[in-house]
Amino acid sequence: MSDTGPDSHSDGKGLSRVFRAIVARSRPILVLYALLLVPSVWYAIQVGQDNSIDRLVVADDPDAIATREFEKVFGSGEYAVLLAEADDPLAPAAVAKIDSIEKSLAGIPGIMPNSALSIYRRAKAGFQATPAELEAFRNFVLGTDLMRKQGLVGDHFLAIGIVMTVAGTAERAATLDAIDKAIAPVLANPAPLRGLFRIGQPYVNRYLDETQRRAPLYFILFTAFVIVLNLSLYRSVRTLLAFLITLAVNLAMSVGYIGLTGGSFTIVSPMVPMTILVTATASLVYLHSRFVDCPAGRDPAEHQLFALSNKFVACTASIFATAVGFAALLVSKIRPIREMGSWVAVGLVITWIIVFTLFPALQKELATPTETQNRAVGARVRAAATWLPRFTYRWRYLLVGAALALSAAGGVALFGLPGYVTPLRILTDPVEYMNPQSQLYKDTKRLGQMIPGLSVTQVWLKGDLASVSEPDVLAGLDHFQSALEKDPDVGAAVGPTTILRLMRYIAGEAEQWPTTPDGMDQLAGDLEGLMAHEPMLQRFVQAHELAQTHFTVISHVVEHEEFERLNASIRKLWADAVARDPALKVFQVQMVGISPLNAKMAQSLVPTLVDSFKITVAIIFIAFLIVFRNGAARLMAMIPSVFAILVMFGVMRLADIPLNVATILIASTILGTSENDQIHFFWHFQEGLADGSTEKALRHTFVVAGRAIFFATLINAGGFLAFGLAELPSMRQFGVLAALAFVLSMIADFFALPAALWILSGAKPDDTAPQE
């Protein structure tokens, strides 16, 4: 049996006629792609970047819809904090410095500062840092606990809360830049303050956006890797040029599709073009490796048609299975993951077309040499192909047993073992996506405990026309707020009654809620009178209709389970409030907000992993069954990928790496990409079985596909390893773990998979007694 026999698994005539027509029209094909390249590049550069944590949310999620409806009533906004730290934050010099900060912020569009000083300034129609006013301000702050409850004042800080009304990355960046410019002198010389610190989700979002500026470096490194690998494998500049042109066109058209559909890159989006590129490169390696393996005396032009026909089914099946495997991510409730699945699937369809049209045309026009014209690695491959079948036969039970045991351990590491091992940790805190060495991360961790928290939950109350201004309702809302403030998960609760209490305190009256009918009627009247000119009250009560209101609950809660506990506690407190104050029955209560929504999305990571993985496994198995028509044997073919994925989860547990929006993608990425190796392995294994024994079939497989599998793995691992240079820990972890999983899959391809085939077939090496 010839290791490069042209007739095996190829119907010859049908596919050869198609590829003969393609190759014959190589120049028109090149012209067509040159014309398509112009709009592809134009649309590709239109793709924006938005790494905001709120991009995790899918638009059709019911809670996301409710949050958007809430924002239509009360306005949208992102919450940031400028925290002025001082030994005595109420000392005259410190207050004067904070006053200069607030004055520098005045006039910046899209922001609404709120601090103890801004409240005092509005109440007194101005503030001048004179000794008398500084003393009056100190007495104003210390005369009530309202400021402390809202987190505006602490033992060693004064906080300036900033509500930013921004739409998208560009507006957020411009607003934060304006704030930074305004406070730059204080940042440079904070004395007498200890320092002025910037924390909050807008700053986290900007940090995440800025980290992706390094993304082009990943693709530069990948290109360099392809150049070195290509020259070492094929030793031909013309072949290298064919590869690079094909990959460049593929990248432009795939990213161009994203731009054409109005897509915007997110925190995990660099994985989209990288996944497409490594899959395309691996397919080209499989295809061209078959082409260069041209027998002596054979016409390279005819051998090109054979290589294209011979690898068409295997490459098509592998690209199709990969594409549909990524399309399975559409089941995810996490927006970037859903988008990634869709974009990669479409990009791989484009890849399939380009691989079998543009690349053959380039092979012809550039006259890429075959191995007989330019000898590459050969002897070592054939030596390994002779040694591996018998080695895997001898140790077949140990190899398969070890693979299964390590896979089982990885499964326990991921899903846990009731009573003994907890499931793999899930990352939900947006701050943890940042580099722990970054100043923003350090400031957020250190200062976050000084204020009531940065997680915001909105308790949305919807009632009848003018119901909010009813005296009995306001009294009931005040009781509800007092109960909220006592909840251990709640750092602060701010609502319409907070503003009314402040107004009462500013007017020189007791801040306590009145208990007499006249006092309550007066506050109800104050509410209606203040609505026209008090901006803070307008953010808490629906204008004109006075039918809706809300309480902003600020906490340190970040995990989904904690939000569920907080949600249940708020609902119980509301039920108790309604029982105490029946006037509240008119309201419907609903919890909304970006913070609990992000936690909910993060909680969807494991269901995303499980559901998409199940779909991917089923699709790949069906693809194997259609191509190879033997379910039991082809199920064994999935051993390498499943082994690599589960062992990788075991490594994550040992390294204390959590599941996050990046690492959750490793399972689908590895399964969808590495199964290419198994498809090509089995394609040539069956090719060898057609006229040979199991040993000869394995030798044929290792000779024809072994080198391609090895170099395709290097391409896959090297491409994703570039993410190891990312600023974000989650991206670095993804890159390193994906590279490790690809190497593990290759090891299983060469050892565990042949061992499983020996066991399944019951065959023995040729003319050799079993070596037990």
Side-chain angles (χ1 to χ4, degrees), residues 251-566:
L251 179 64
M253 294 183 68
S254 298
V255 179
Y257 164 78
I258 298 173
L260 179 64
T261 56
S264 179
F265 280 163
T266 62
I267 190 171
V268 297
S269 292
M271 301 177 197
V272 173
M274 186 63 76
T275 301
I276 293 170
L277 282 177
V278 297
T279 304
T281 307
S283 298
L284 295 179
V285 167
Y286 283 118
L287 193 60
H288 198 70
S289 293
R290 195 62 166 145
F291 167 70
V292 300
D293 196 13
C294 179
R298 186 176 179 83
D299 180 8
E302 288 299 317
H303 185 70
Q304 181 191 21
L305 299 179
F306 156 72
L308 290 167
S309 301
N310 181 256
K311 299 301 291 185
F312 177 77
V313 173
C315 285
T316 298
S318 62
I319 293 174
F320 168 79
T322 304
V324 180
F326 275 97
L329 293 173
L330 289 170
V331 303
S332 176
K333 294 182 179 180
I334 302 173
R335 186 175 175 182
I337 294 178
R338 180 184 291 188
E339 290 174 339
M340 179 181 179
S342 171
W343 293 342
V344 172
V346 173
L348 289 178
V349 172
I350 294 172
T351 298
W352 178 77
I353 296 171
I354 288 175
V355 163
F356 286 108
T357 54
L358 176 59
F359 186 67
L362 289 169
Q363 282 180 310
K364 177 187 176 182
E365 293 301 320
L366 294 173
T368 55
T370 62
E371 192 171 55
T372 56
Q373 298 166 307
N374 186 7
R375 299 302 299 178
V377 180
R380 287 189 292 256
V381 172
R382 294 181 182 277
T386 300
W387 170 76
L388 272 172
R390 297 199 174 198
F391 177 85
T392 55
Y393 174 80
R394 180 178 183 182
W395 301 105
R396 60 195 183 279
Y397 292 110
L398 177 62
L399 291 171
V400 172
L404 292 175
L406 288 172
S407 298
V412 171
L414 173 61
F415 297 109
L417 191 63
Y420 297 95
V421 181
T422 59
L424 197 61
R425 184 167 57 93
I426 301 174
L427 182 65
T428 57
D429 187 356
V431 175
E432 296 301 331
Y433 280 92
M434 298 191 299
N435 187 336
Q437 302 306 314
S438 68
Q439 192 60 48
L440 177 59
Y441 179 90
K442 294 176 181 178
D443 289 344
T444 301
K445 283 297 187 181
R446 184 177 72 86
L447 302 170
Q449 297 302 317
M450 296 172 62
I451 58 179
L454 292 172
S455 292
V456 177
T457 300
Q458 304 290 358
V459 183
W460 186 10
L461 302 174
K462 293 176 280 188
D464 297 333
L465 182 65
S467 56
V468 176
S469 61
E470 292 294 326
D472 290 346
V473 167
L474 289 173
L477 294 177
D478 185 67
H479 295 151
F480 176 58
Q481 179 177 348
S482 298
L484 282 174
E485 291 172 343
K486 295 175 184 177
D487 189 282
D489 282 328
V490 175
V494 184
T497 54
T498 307
I499 311 300
L500 293 175
R501 278 173 173 263
L502 271 173
M503 296 301 103
R504 185 177 172 86
Y505 173 71
I506 290 169
E509 302 180 52
E511 67 178 72
Q512 287 78 18
W513 197 261
T515 56
T516 65
D518 289 343
M520 290 191 291
D521 287 342
Q522 182 181 343
L523 270 184
D526 290 344
L527 171 66
E528 296 177 354
L530 289 169
M531 280 298 299
H533 56 82
E534 178 51 54
M536 289 304 296
L537 194 58
Q538 292 166 5
R539 294 195 68 89
F540 284 96
V541 179
Q542 181 191 31
H544 308 302
E545 295 183 9
L546 304 179
Q548 302 182 46
T549 187
H550 72 96
F551 286 89
T552 297
V553 175
I554 303 172
S555 68
H556 293 289
V557 168
V558 292
E559 304 291 342
H560 177 68
E561 292 82 359
E562 294 173 334
F563 277 110
E564 288 290 301
R565 183 180 67 233
L566 178 61

Side-chain angles (χ1 to χ4, degrees), residues 38 55 77 100 119 136 223 239 246 305 328 364 373 391 398 423 442 454 537 578 584 677 689 713 720 728 742:
V38 175
R55 285 277 293 173
S100 69
I119 292 172
T223 302
T239 299
T246 302
L305 299 179
K364 177 187 176 182
Q373 298 166 307
F391 177 85
L398 177 62
K442 294 176 181 178
L454 292 172
L537 194 58
V578 171
L584 298 179
D677 299 337
L689 278 180
T713 298
F720 285 103
L728 299 182
F742 281 122

Side-chain angles (χ1 to χ4, degrees), residues 402-411 413-414 609 613 636-652 663 666-675 677-678 713 716-717 734 736-749 752-753:
L404 292 175
L406 288 172
S407 298
L414 173 61
L609 168 65
F613 192 78
M636 299 289 284
M638 302 186 76
I639 287 177
S641 294
V642 175
F643 164 79
I645 291 167
L646 292 176
V647 171
M648 181 271 302
F649 282 123
V651 171
M652 288 178 64
T663 56
I666 293 179
S668 293
T669 300
I670 300 305
L671 185 60
T673 307
S674 65
E675 52 78 29
D677 299 337
Q678 286 92 62
T713 298
N716 292 337
F734 173 87
V736 173
L737 290 169
L740 171 64
F742 281 122
V743 173
L744 289 171
S745 178
M746 180 188 68
I747 293 172
D749 284 333
L753 180 54

